[in-house]
Every structure is written in structure tokens, then in C-alpha cells.
Amino acid sequence: MDRVKSSCAGLSGGLISLHMQESSPSMRPLIAVMLLALAGCGAYPHYSDPRLATKINDQYALRDACLAKNAEANLNSSSSATEIARTISLSCQSETNSLIAVSNPYNDPRISAAIERDTQFRATGYVLRARNVGTPD
């Protein structure tokens, strides 16, 4: 990733120095090529560890699947959406813990708390969506 960043930084530095010079007609194609190359630097994310990113995405998918499944199972409850979401979050705690373990290898409590809040937020969203499925528009 550092190699990609440094090559992009080199391109932008070269582009600035070329732009400051008087551009002749023969330099215009070179400037166009450099602009296209510079635009490609930010087009796609470059992960320093693509395997880890895939594992994290897989754990998010497992957690979200658990939340969605449990939201459907608790559809008939008369409790508030927040209370049901709290129950659903607790039932999917093992998936949330797996997500925290993969995405927070240094056990930063702020990251763990953020993932827990995200789980609660998503659980509430799944409950609200599940309740609105059967209502007419």
C-alpha cells in the first residue's frame, strides 16, 4: 500500500511541476496520461491485508444474518423496537464477539464499544424493517 501511495504522490508532484512549466502541444498528451494515472490511484481501495478485510466482511455478514434471522423470530413481540434489538443483540453475541476478535486484534476498548453500538443500531433497523414488511403502503 505504501508503494501505491508513494507512486501516486510522485505522480501528483510531477504533474504540479509540469503544470507550472509552459505546456507546449507536445506535452499535452503526457499531461493527459499523467492525469489519468493519478485518477486511477484512488479508484479502488488498496488494503494492506486483503485476507483480513475479507475475514472482517465475512464476520459482518454472519452477524447481520444472525440479527436478521432473530428479528424475524421476534416479530410478534409487543415490546419496543429498542428492547427487542437489545435481546437480539444478546442472542447474536457470539457473532459479534467473533467480529470484534477479527477486526480488533489489539483489544482497543473504543473499537469494541463501536462494534457493539453498531450491532445494537443494526438490530434496531432489522426489527423496524421486519415490522414494516406486513403493513400496507
Side-chain angles (χ1 to χ4, degrees), residues 4-60:
V4 172
K5 284 183 180 176
S6 64
S7 67
C8 291
L11 283 174
S12 64
L15 184 63
I16 291 170
S17 65
L18 277 177
H19 181 64
M20 296 185 103
Q21 297 174 357
E22 200 172 294
S23 62
S24 66
S26 63
M27 293 291 284
R28 288 185 185 141
L30 178 62
I31 292 173
V33 168
M34 290 183 72
L35 280 172
L36 289 173
L38 184 60
C41 287
Y44 299 103
H46 299 284
Y47 297 110
S48 59
D49 189 354
R51 289 183 188 159
L52 179 61
T54 301
K55 287 180 186 177
I56 291 171
N57 288 338
D58 291 345
Q59 289 300 319
Y60 268 114

Side-chain angles (χ1 to χ4, degrees), residues 1 37 39 46 62 67-68 74 77 81 87 98-100 118 127 130 132:
M1 182 167 170
H46 299 284
L62 288 172
L67 293 174
N74 289 306
S77 177
T87 304
S98 297
L99 174 61
I100 290 170
D118 180 60
V127 169
N132 288 332

Side-chain angles (χ1 to χ4, degrees), residues 27 35 37 44 59 68-69 81 85 94 98 117 121 124 126 130 135:
M27 293 291 284
L35 280 172
Y44 299 103
Q59 289 300 319
K69 180 183 76 171
S94 63
S98 297
R117 281 191 307 272
F121 176 76
T124 304
Y126 283 118
T135 59

